[in-house]
Amino acid sequence: MSLRLFSNRFVHSLPCLRNATSSVIYRSFATKKYTLNHEWISVDNNVGTIGITDHAQQALGDVVFVEFPYLGKEVVKDEQVSAVESVNSLKNIYSPASGEVLEVNDALVEQPSLVNDSPEEEGWLMKLNLVETADMDSLLDETGYAKHVESLSK
């Protein structure tokens, strides 16, 4: 039984959990993956939401501008699709999966600091309609990403 199916059944079978939190949280937790370049992707119903990790935003400093791909653009896994500019540097964003750009986070145009304040929630960058969910297989889970970040500080 997949973790997603187990999580949904488990949460819905216990009223105290069902009322305390939605299965969407469990679903995104179970499907969030990370790249070695410090991007994350969370998949729900074949739509991947992409952003940068907390580690990446800390390294960047204060974000002042986010460059977005155009809607409808077909992107390929590991292709540069965006950039995040801070007062100190520029970080190119590489797509963790292949797909079509469905949406960009327009809130970042007026408030790019959301990337610093909430990099893995409100500061997401774009959403893709995924072409191949197998792209997720080569990405790191939360534990693997934490080990990767830890290895960088040694």
Side-chain angles (χ1 to χ4, degrees):
M1 178 182 309
S2 75
L3 181 58
R4 176 185 285 186
L5 183 60
F6 173 76
S7 297
N8 284 339
R9 286 186 181 169
F10 181 74
V11 169
H12 290 292
S13 67
L14 298 173
C16 62
L17 285 178
R18 185 175 52 237
N19 294 335
T21 185
S22 71
S23 63
V24 173
I25 292 171
Y26 282 92
R27 202 172 20 235
S28 68
F29 174 76
T31 59
K32 190 175 241 184
K33 298 282 190 140
Y34 302 85
T35 70
L36 294 174
N37 292 322
H38 310 288
E39 292 97 8
W40 58 265
I41 182 169
S42 179
V43 178
D44 188 20
N45 294 325
N46 215 41
V47 173
T49 303
I50 297 170
I52 66 170
T53 64
D54 187 54
H55 176 80
Q57 72 80 21
Q58 287 178 18
L60 273 170
D62 294 335
V63 173
V64 294
F65 180 74
V66 178
E67 175 187 64
F68 297 108
Y70 61 86
L71 297 181
K73 178 179 173 141
E74 296 288 332
V75 299
V76 178
K77 181 179 166 110
D78 299 326
E79 172 185 280
Q80 182 185 341
V81 292
S82 179
V84 176
E85 184 179 343
S86 73
V87 293
N88 301 325
S89 63
L90 176 75
K91 176 178 177 15
N92 291 326
I93 307 301
Y94 299 92
S95 183
S98 297
E100 176 187 352
V101 178
L102 295 175
E103 185 179 352
V104 296
N105 189 350
D106 291 330
L108 299 179
V109 173
E110 295 293 322
Q111 204 175 359
S113 62
L114 284 173
V115 173
N116 295 113
D117 299 338
S118 182
E120 296 194 34
E121 292 176 20
E122 293 177 37
W124 60 273
L125 303 176
M126 69 195 78
K127 294 187 181 198
L128 296 180
N129 184 20
L130 299 180
V131 172
E132 183 62 55
T133 55
D135 285 347
M136 301 290 289
D137 296 341
S138 64
L139 301 176
L140 302 170
D141 62 11
E142 186 175 3
T143 303
Y145 179 71
K147 287 179 184 177
H148 170 63
V149 170
E150 184 180 311
S151 74
L152 298 174
S153 63
K154 291 181 180 178

